[in-house]
Amino acid sequence: MDPAAMEEELVHDVSPFFRIYKEGRVERLMGTEFIPTSVDPKTGVESKDVVVSPEIGLSVRLYAPKLHNRNQKLPLLVYFHGGAFCFMSPFCAIYHNYLNTLVHEANVVAVSVEYRRAPEHPLPAAYDDSWTALKWIASHVNGDGPEDWLNFLADLDNVYLGGESAGGNISHHMGLRYGKQKLGGLKLAGIILVHPYFGGNEPIGAEANNLEKIEFTEMLWRLACPETTGRDDPLFNPLADPNWASLENTRVLVCVAEKDFYRDRGWCYFEKLKESGWEGVVEIMESKGKDHAFHLMNPTSEKALDLLKQIASFINIRHKA
């Protein structure tokens, strides 16, 4: 540990993820490394970084598959990383390696969004940044935007939003905002929620047996969103939002893991969305015997590869049609 940090007063120790000190300094302990862009030797996927908004420090990492010089444009995946809105980054090894693999498997162009993180930038900063990134992508609709990969490689009529944990939460809210406001230049084809980070005041399913995890989850949520009304804040509990069925009428894939604390929230989201009168199509996949974000921690395991193939299939069913 930094000797200077030892002299500071620690107010929140969320190890092994991050620590917050009294003076406001945040010490992130996971996902802090920066992996440079490259042509990935395993998949041939190429990546590059682009600054979207210098004013707020918003940037994205773009990915294109090896055979991207074809005449037919490819589906576009806009990816939002996890980390409870407080840690991790598109530039760390976990997400960079995962996006390389996913882009290769699904044969898509991807934009991985580096939204501002709490607690320095509390919510709704992450949502606002994610929407700004979507508006920037939409500016390429006529093929004359600032980024050639989006002008020439990405099919903006075939756009997917996806992410795991907090990124799943963001994906839901971007789909909700798109359903309410629309966004000229983009046609939303699907939303992919992997182990989505949702909560609620009333415990559901196995949550009732883990009060300690409920308290921990609420603590994390309040660090990310200090002005929240609590666990039933519509930003955290989609079912508490009376307008949540205004989610864009598209296809939604919900992925849950059997041993994940958030499993029952994912199932509840799936069931309630089906019952809500929403006119889209929702599917669910459960990874047996696995925990939260297992596919990132052990990406070559059998279950992680099954999940990868399911996501790729979800995207490509429409693409092939």
Side-chain angles (χ1 to χ4, degrees):
M1 180 187 294
D2 182 350
M6 298 177 65
E7 300 176 2
E8 298 178 74
E9 182 178 344
L10 184 64
V11 291
H12 290 289
D13 189 350
V14 197
S15 300
F17 308 121
F18 61 95
R19 301 186 184 104
I20 303 174
Y21 296 89
K22 187 175 181 179
E23 298 301 317
R25 189 174 72 87
V26 180
E27 180 188 17
R28 292 183 170 87
L29 307 173
M30 180 181 289
T32 59
E33 74 279 15
F34 182 93
I35 303 299
T37 58
S38 64
V39 176
D40 181 56
K42 293 182 180 179
T43 63
V45 170
E46 187 176 358
S47 56
K48 65 176 173 179
D49 295 335
V50 178
V51 176
V52 172
S53 174
E55 294 79 12
I56 61 174
L58 175 62
S59 61
V60 296
R61 177 161 289 189
L62 277 70
Y63 296 83
K66 183 176 182 180
L67 300 177
H68 59 64
N69 58 343
R70 61 190 69 189
N71 293 325
Q72 184 181 11
K73 292 186 175 182
L74 299 177
L76 176 66
L77 171 65
V78 185
Y79 193 87
F80 308 102
H81 70 83
F85 301 101
C86 294
F87 63 104
M88 305 301 285
S89 158
F91 311 131
C92 71
I94 287 175
Y95 285 103
H96 180 68
N97 293 338
Y98 180 68
L99 264 295
N100 277 326
T101 304
L102 179 56
V103 165
H104 173 71
E105 181 69 28
N107 197 35
V108 297
V109 175
V111 176
S112 186
V113 181
E114 169 70 336
Y115 53 82
R116 287 172 294 171
R117 297 170 298 186
E120 302 97 321
H121 304 283
L123 293 175
Y127 300 126
D128 293 341
D129 289 358
S130 298
W131 187 249
T132 296
L134 289 177
K135 289 193 292 184
W136 174 77
I137 293 168
S139 73
H140 296 78
V141 63
N142 295 319
D144 57 358
E147 175 45 55
D148 283 348
W149 283 12
L150 296 180
N151 287 330
F152 302 117
L153 304 180
D155 181 0
L156 299 189
D157 284 333
N158 195 9
V159 177
Y160 290 81
L161 308 177
E164 117 293 332
S165 196
N169 178 301
I170 292 173
S171 297
H172 162 78
H173 285 290
M174 292 305 98
L176 194 66
R177 189 177 296 194
Y178 181 94
K180 292 177 180 178
Q181 301 179 19
K182 301 302 181 185
L183 186 59
L186 293 185
K187 186 173 182 180
L188 191 57
I191 303 171
I192 303 163
L193 312 180
V194 180
H195 312 162
Y197 181 50
F198 295 142
N201 275 339
E202 293 298 322
I204 61 174
E207 287 180 356
N209 301 322
N210 198 340
L211 297 180
E212 183 178 344
K213 189 61 179 286
I214 290 176
E215 292 177 359
F216 178 75
T217 296
E218 181 168 12
M219 180 270 292
L220 277 179
W221 172 246
R222 289 187 179 276
L223 287 176
C225 191
E227 297 184 1
T228 184
T229 55
R231 292 198 302 271
D232 269 345
D233 186 327
L235 294 177
F236 196 42
N237 183 2
L239 306 187
D241 184 351
N243 300 311
W244 86 294
S246 65
L247 186 73
E248 177 66 6
N249 292 333
T250 184
R251 297 166 57 235
V252 173
L253 174 64
V254 182
C255 303
V256 298
E258 183 183 19
K259 294 184 176 181
D260 184 9
F261 173 77
Y262 302 102
R263 170 194 180 271
D264 293 317
R265 291 284 162 187
W267 270 103
C268 188
Y269 181 99
F270 166 74
E271 296 291 352
K272 296 299 183 182
L273 192 56
K274 284 199 306 180
E275 299 167 2
S276 68
W278 177 71
E279 297 180 356
V281 177
V282 60
E283 307 170 27
I284 194 164
M285 174 189 183
E286 178 164 324
S287 299
K288 299 296 183 182
K290 296 300 178 181
D291 210 332
H292 193 71
F294 75 93
H295 60 297
L296 298 176
M297 302 301 109
N298 190 5
T300 60
S301 66
E302 179 182 357
K303 295 292 185 182
L305 294 176
D306 288 344
L307 177 58
L308 181 72
K309 292 181 184 299
Q310 178 66 32
I311 293 172
S313 175
F314 178 79
I315 294 172
N316 283 300
I317 284 176
R318 181 183 185 278
H319 184 48
K320 291 176 180 177

